[in-house]
Amino acid sequence: EHSLNEDTKTACDHPPDEVLLTTSGEPPILQFSSMKYLCGEEESVAVLEVLRLKTLGTSEVRFRTQDWTAIAGDNYVAASGLLVFEPGDSKKQIEISLIDDDTWSGTLEFHVVLESEGLVNATLSSHSALARVQRIDDDVFPDNKFKQLILSRHFEQLPVLDLLWHYFKLQMSNPIIRRGAIKTLILSQVKNVVDISKVI
């Protein structure tokens, strides 16, 4: 289970309807309703909410997604757009599509950013203009082929060699690990050739 603090919401949470309104003559402040959102990999959409703290006039702000440990195209669908707050509007939603797969990846994170460029009748919060979205994996390590045995804790029934093979495939699916393994193998073979040539 994941415990949520006051700065964390699940992607399907509905933020409170009550919004604080500023009374100064400054432009409306725009910010996310939470600095961190949690969503399950199996959910089709992560929903984030942007609040406007003062509802007079029309405000506009652009947003975009940003890779972190989650990669657009692999774990979620990249998105960007324009939010328009009409007079009286205090909140708008951003929906980001998630990609469900059968590969274990742990909890991955991407960001959604409110952009300062192109702001209309608004200013961005200094602390809440970036939201962290954490995508919680529902797959098991190293492969869903063993999901039922692992979840039922029948570890003694796991085929060791098959488990090792799927672990190897998982590692080789990572391009960084794959390149490193190939480089190490080549350098090792070159060293062997050099050592043999010295003996000969």
Side-chain angles (χ1 to χ4, degrees):
E1 288 188 39
H2 296 265
S3 60
L4 304 180
N5 58 37
E6 61 181 1
D7 287 327
T8 304
K9 292 181 181 293
T10 60
C12 56
D13 273 349
H14 297 284
D17 290 331
E18 184 178 353
V19 178
L20 295 176
L21 304 181
T22 62
T23 58
S24 69
E26 298 297 323
I29 297 175
L30 301 181
Q31 64 180 58
F32 286 102
S33 62
S34 174
M35 296 175 66
K36 182 166 66 175
Y37 294 80
L38 303 180
C39 53
E41 177 188 17
E42 72 283 358
E43 299 177 44
S44 59
V45 174
V47 180
L48 294 74
E49 192 159 71
V50 179
L51 304 180
R52 181 168 71 150
L53 308 183
K54 189 176 181 180
T55 60
L56 298 176
T58 299
S59 300
E60 297 182 4
V61 62
R62 294 193 173 276
F63 69 88
R64 61 180 172 83
T65 53
Q66 183 181 73
D67 286 354
W68 194 242
T69 52
I71 305 300
D74 292 338
N75 312 120
Y76 73 98
V77 178
S80 61
L82 175 68
L83 299 179
V84 179
F85 293 80
E86 300 294 347
D89 288 345
S90 62
K91 63 182 75 171
K92 292 289 179 179
Q93 288 186 337
I94 298 173
E95 295 188 357
I96 309 296
S97 296
L98 303 176
I99 298 175
D100 191 1
D101 57 37
D102 292 326
T103 303
W104 180 87
S105 56
T107 298
L108 301 177
E109 180 176 313
F110 64 92
H111 299 158
V112 182
V113 181
L114 299 180
E115 298 190 291
S116 58
E117 185 176 350
L119 274 175
V120 175
N121 185 38
T123 184
L124 297 181
S125 166
S126 58
H127 302 292
S128 304
L130 180 148
R132 300 167 55 195
V133 182
Q134 293 189 340
R135 171 186 174 274
I136 303 171
D137 198 358
D138 63 351
D139 302 305
V140 299
F141 178 85
D143 193 295
N144 279 341
K145 177 180 180 179
F146 312 102
K147 188 170 186 175
Q148 295 305 317
L149 288 175
I150 292 174
L151 293 181
S152 61
R153 305 184 70 82
H154 293 154
F155 303 122
E156 71 283 353
Q157 298 180 28
L158 289 171
V160 176
L161 293 180
D162 200 16
L163 191 66
L164 287 173
W165 171 244
H166 282 269
Y167 171 76
F168 174 78
K169 288 200 299 182
L170 173 66
Q171 296 302 311
M172 290 300 102
S173 67
N174 185 311
I176 296 176
I177 295 177
R178 185 170 61 248
R179 287 195 298 269
I182 294 173
K183 179 180 178 180
T184 300
L185 180 61
I186 293 174
L187 291 177
S188 177
Q189 294 306 311
V190 170
K191 182 177 184 301
N192 290 339
V193 171
V194 172
D195 291 341
I196 292 174
S197 64
K198 290 180 179 179
V199 173
I200 296 176

